Amino acid sequence: MRKAKVYIALLHYPMYNKRMDTITTSVTNLDLHDISRVARTYDVERFFVVHPSPGQHRLVEEIVSYWQQGFGGSYNPDRKEAFSRLQIADNLGEVLAVIEDETGLQPDTVATDARVYPNTVSYKRMKDEIHNSARPFLILFGTGWGMEKGLMDSCTYVLEPIEGDAGYNHLSVRSAVSIIIDRLLGGRWFE
Amino acid sequence: MRKAKVYIALLHYPMYNKRMDTITTSVTNLDLHDISRVARTYDVERFFVVHPSPGQHRLVEEIVSYWQQGFGGSYNPDRKEAFSRLQIADNLGEVLAVIEDETGLQPDTVATDARVYPNTVSYKRMKDEIHNSARPFLILFGTGWGMEKGLMDSCTYVLEPIEGDAGYNHLSVRSAVSIIIDRLLGGRWFE
């Protein structure tokens, strides 16, 4: 039984593009579906979709309301259940404030990146930390070509790349979230 | 170092819909992207997209050619590299014949399902089998509400559900492929 409450945030700013310019990325419909379903499966408290633009907030609200109140909700109640974990936020500060409000504690932040950083930790250690700590954890996922360095440096932990030896670090964020959450929060199938 | 050659197939027929009628599902664009990228990352020999309809074959060819020969290929060579693992097939028999042709051996087939079957095996055992066997393995993934029972029964192995205790078994096929391939073919991060 896990002690820590775990939250996920999918960030769209500040991200790099392939030329390492800082950009804002657009919301991708299937990110919302796939990550909400992962959040429900692995009992993640909340999946925050973080975007600075009100227009993108309206797009997310429209998609979610179809699966909550619209035809989608009655046709597929499993999707409705998954989307109940999704919450929109303007920026990371707002997410941290919501978690602190809810738990009375500042969360430790865990970033994920295909690159290696000095404060990189292993999945094994992170899984143990999460299972034994009473502190809340917020796991951050980037879009585009990854999170800006300043944001990475501000995190409590940075997870090691998923398959460091593969010679190819270009999984979709949907795959990365699925694999990382399975490693950190999944049952101990390997024992 | 893994001995076995591993192949993936994404099947669109014969699948169940939510009323358990047998149906053919449509190809989903992001399945092609996400699963090709997983195949490249985890060194899967080939990702077969299996569909009976020539119209759907043309759709897949059009998407892949944009990322191979079109603008996408020069803009994003990582995607081009991932898509080089994708191959279209009409049916499972054709996939099995290609693998037998290539390896000189009939592959063991491994099905995955959110339901439990009598021949269900654990991830730990399956990972060991794959790492120690010289036989090729073909891992089958379904779409819609899952593979028809006759197809499941024909498989050498059926993997246990991903998170059997979660009370919610509705991950996207993109998430399921990512997690299952990470468990079976990924590095031993848990040791």
Side-chain angles (χ1 to χ4, degrees), chain A residues 114-132:
Chain A
R115 307 176 190 95
V116 177
Y117 283 78
N119 50 338
T120 293
V121 298
S122 71
Y123 287 92
K124 185 172 192 288
R125 179 174 155 214
M126 202 67 238
K127 190 178 183 76
D128 289 344
E129 294 273 348
I130 290 174
H131 280 254
N132 297 320

Side-chain angles (χ1 to χ4, degrees), chain A residues 18 37 75 170 182-183, chain B residues 18 37 75 170 182-183:
Chain A
K18 67 176 289 196
R37 295 161 81 178
Y75 180 72
H170 308 284
D182 182 61
R183 288 185 181 185
Chain B
K18 66 176 289 196
R37 295 161 82 179
Y75 180 73
H170 308 284
D182 181 61
R183 288 185 181 185

Side-chain angles (χ1 to χ4, degrees), chain A residues 33-73:
Chain A
H33 285 261
D34 288 9
I35 301 175
S36 295
R37 295 161 81 178
V38 167
R40 171 61 190 87
T41 304
Y42 291 89
D43 199 18
V44 169
E45 297 292 319
R46 207 79 55 74
F47 161 37
F48 293 97
V49 177
V50 187
H51 203 290
S53 148
Q56 292 279 295
H57 287 206
R58 283 195 297 278
L59 173 66
V60 176
E61 278 157 7
E62 202 179 310
I63 292 167
V64 170
S65 82
Y66 172 82
W67 293 100
Q68 296 275 50
Q69 287 101 43
F71 175 71

Side-chain angles (χ1 to χ4, degrees), chain B residues 66-85:
Chain B
Y66 172 81
W67 294 98
Q68 296 275 51
Q69 286 102 42
F71 174 72
S74 50
Y75 180 73
N76 189 342
D78 302 322
R79 204 60 57 87
K80 182 177 178 175
E81 191 181 339
F83 273 131
S84 70
R85 310 243 163 176

